[in-house]
Amino acid sequence: MAKYNSAMRIGMLTGGGDCPGLNAVIRAVVRKGTMFYGDSVLGFLEGWRGVVENRSMALDLDSIAGIIHRGGTILRTSRTNPQRDPQGLERVRETFEREKLDALIAIGGDDTLGVARWISDQGLPVVGVPKTIDNDLSGTDLCFGFDTAVGIATEAIDRLHSTAEAHNRVMVVEVMGREAGWIATYAGIAGGADVVLIPEKPFNLAEVCELLKRRHARGKYFSIVVVAEGATEVGGTETSGGGPTDEFGHARLGGVSNRLAEQIEQHTGYETRVVILGHTQRGGTPTAFDRVLATRYGVQAIDMAHRGEFGRMASLRGQTLTSVPLSEAIGRNRKVGDELYAMASVFFG
Ligand code: F6P
C-alpha cells in the first residue's frame, strides 16, 4: 500500500458517448492528483483508441484551467473497442509500460468499463468512473450529465407546450434512453407530459390513443407525448436510425417517434408533429449539480488510485461516494422501477 501514498503516474481517458460533466471529472483528477499527491497525469485521446495507439497529452494545471463549465471532453472520445483487435491487449500493455503508468482512470459507460474490467482481469491497474447520459449504469445511483439532459429535455417540453396549444396539436418528443427511460420519465414528470413511453414498459398503441382521447374529451385540445428512443410496442422491436453498428455491436437507434406520430394521427384524427431532441441532450454546459457530482467522482477516482483500489468503479450510493467492483457496473442496466413509472402515469391522459 505504501507505494500508493507517493506520487504516481496516472493515465486517464473518456470513452463512449460524451456527456456534460466529463471535463469536470478530468479537472478534479488533475487538480487533486497534481496538487495533493504530486502526480503526473497523462490524458489519452479519443477513448481506448488513444491507449491502443499511444496518443496522449500531458494534463497539468494549465490544460484544465477554465474547463469545469465546458461540455464535451478536452480528451475527445470514441467507441473504439480494443477487444476487437487481436493485438489490442498487447498494445494496451505496451502503452502502460512505455508510459510507466501506475494507474489508468477510465471514464465511461458499460462498454468503456467492460474494456476496463477486461484489462483489469489481466492484472493492469484500472479505476472506473461511471458515465452515461442514459443514467442506467448499474453499480451507482446517479451519473453526471443526466441532470443536464433532463433540464434540456424539460425546457424543450415547456417550449413545445405553447406551440402545441396554439395549433391544437399532439407533439411527440423523442429523447435518449436506449435500454432505460430515465430521461423520458424525469423530463416527462417535470414537463407535465401527457404520456411517457419507455423501454421498460412496451406500449400498446390503442391504449396510448385512448389516453389522448380521454384528455381531449375533458376539454384539452393539445397533448405532449414523451418517448424514449428505445421504447417499443408490445411484441415489437427497437427502431433503428440506420447506419452501421458500433464496435461494441450496438445499433444506432432513433425514429420511434415518427411511426408513433403517424399512428396517433391516423387513430385519433389529431394533427401530430415530431421533435427528436437527439444530441442536443448531450451538448453544452453542465448544470451546477452535474459539475459538483462530476467533481466528486473525479476526486474519488484519484483517491481510489492512491488507495490501490483497482478493478473498481467510483460509485454514488445515496449521498455517499464509495466504490464497487467493475463487474457490478457492467453487463446489465439500471431500469426505471415500477413505482416511479406508476407515479409518472398518474398524470397521463
Ligand atoms: O449511450 C448513450 C447514448 O447517448 C444513447 O442514448 C444513444 O442511443 C447513443 O448514445 C447515441 O450514440 P452516438 O453519439 O454514437 O450517436
Side-chain angles (χ1 to χ4, degrees):
M1 195 58 104
K3 90 176 215 200
Y4 301 121
N5 292 328
S6 52
M8 293 172 79
R9 177 103 167 126
I10 304 282
M12 181 160 46
L13 65 87
T14 52
D18 72 328
C19 79
L22 284 167
N23 284 325
V25 180
I26 294 169
R27 171 181 175 269
V29 168
V30 174
R31 272 296 285 266
K32 179 138 195 198
T34 57
M35 294 186 74
F36 187 84
Y37 294 112
D39 295 339
S40 59
V41 187
L42 197 62
F44 290 99
L45 302 175
E46 299 168 12
W48 289 111
R49 186 186 296 150
V51 182
V52 169
E53 297 175 3
N54 197 16
R55 286 192 301 114
S56 61
M57 65 187 269
L59 287 173
D60 56 17
L61 292 179
D62 280 345
S63 38
I64 52 122
I67 64 168
I68 191 169
H69 62 282
R70 279 171 54 191
T73 155
I74 58 168
L75 296 176
R76 303 197 299 278
T77 186
S78 73
R79 296 192 189 273
T80 302
N81 182 0
Q83 289 177 288
R84 300 239 311 198
D85 173 355
Q87 260 85 56
L89 185 59
E90 206 180 307
R91 295 170 87 175
V92 170
R93 258 190 211 291
E94 277 168 17
T95 298
F96 263 76
E97 279 160 23
R98 193 174 308 121
E99 299 299 342
K100 300 186 171 35
L101 296 182
D102 297 309
L104 177 70
I105 295 176
I107 310 164
D110 203 41
D111 299 330
T112 304
L113 297 183
V115 176
R117 188 201 176 184
W118 175 61
I119 67 166
S120 165
D121 287 348
Q122 313 298 319
L124 294 172
V126 194
V127 167
V129 174
K131 176 254 21 154
T132 163
I133 204 80
D134 292 355
N135 197 37
D136 61 354
L137 204 59
S138 291
T140 194
D141 291 348
L142 188 61
C143 292
F144 61 87
F146 173 66
D147 183 65
T148 306
V150 169
I152 293 166
T154 303
E155 193 195 334
I157 295 168
D158 287 350
R159 287 175 181 278
L160 291 169
H161 262 96
S162 60
T163 173
E165 190 170 11
H167 286 265
N168 297 351
R169 281 175 178 158
V170 176
M171 286 286 182
V172 180
V173 189
E174 182 173 322
V175 298
M176 283 186 170
R178 297 181 69 87
E179 312 281 346
W182 289 102
I183 298 178
T185 306
Y186 269 63
I189 294 169
D194 305 302
V195 179
V196 176
L197 304 174
I198 62 174
E200 292 88 334
K201 306 278 175 195
F203 62 88
N204 178 309
L205 193 72
E207 280 170 18
V208 172
C209 293
E210 271 322 301
L211 283 169
L212 298 178
K213 284 185 192 162
R214 189 176 84 183
R215 177 175 152 79
H216 287 227
R218 60 185 177 85
K220 303 289 178 186
Y221 39 82
F222 74 97
S223 294
I224 306 279
V225 176
V226 177
V227 58
E229 64 186 347
T232 59
E233 255 185 270
V234 176
T237 51
E238 291 166 337
T239 311
S240 161
T245 54
D246 68 20
E247 289 196 15
F248 290 89
H250 304 303
R252 204 176 292 166
L253 297 188
V256 60
S257 51
N258 290 318
R259 192 180 131 69
L260 185 61
E262 232 177 73
Q263 297 285 315
I264 289 173
E265 196 165 83
Q266 202 177 316
H267 292 283
T268 63
Y270 308 144
E271 191 182 9
T272 306
R273 292 285 192 274
V274 168
V275 177
I276 300 179
L277 294 183
H279 294 82
T280 53
Q281 293 160 97
R282 293 204 328 224
T285 189
T287 59
F289 180 89
D290 278 335
R291 295 180 206 188
V292 174
L293 181 59
T295 299
R296 293 181 74 196
Y297 273 127
V299 169
Q300 171 72 346
I302 191 72
D303 287 345
M304 284 169 65
H306 280 272
R307 289 194 294 262
E309 280 182 47
F310 299 126
R312 300 180 70 83
M313 180 187 82
S315 154
L316 183 76
R317 290 303 195 195
Q319 299 296 318
T320 308
L321 261 287
T322 176
S323 75
V324 294
L326 282 167
S327 55
E328 261 184 48
I330 58 178
R332 56 188 175 274
N333 301 100
R334 201 171 53 83
K335 306 278 190 183
V336 172
D338 290 345
E339 198 187 325
L340 179 62
Y341 191 72
M343 199 279 281
S345 65
V346 167
F347 303 92
F348 293 178

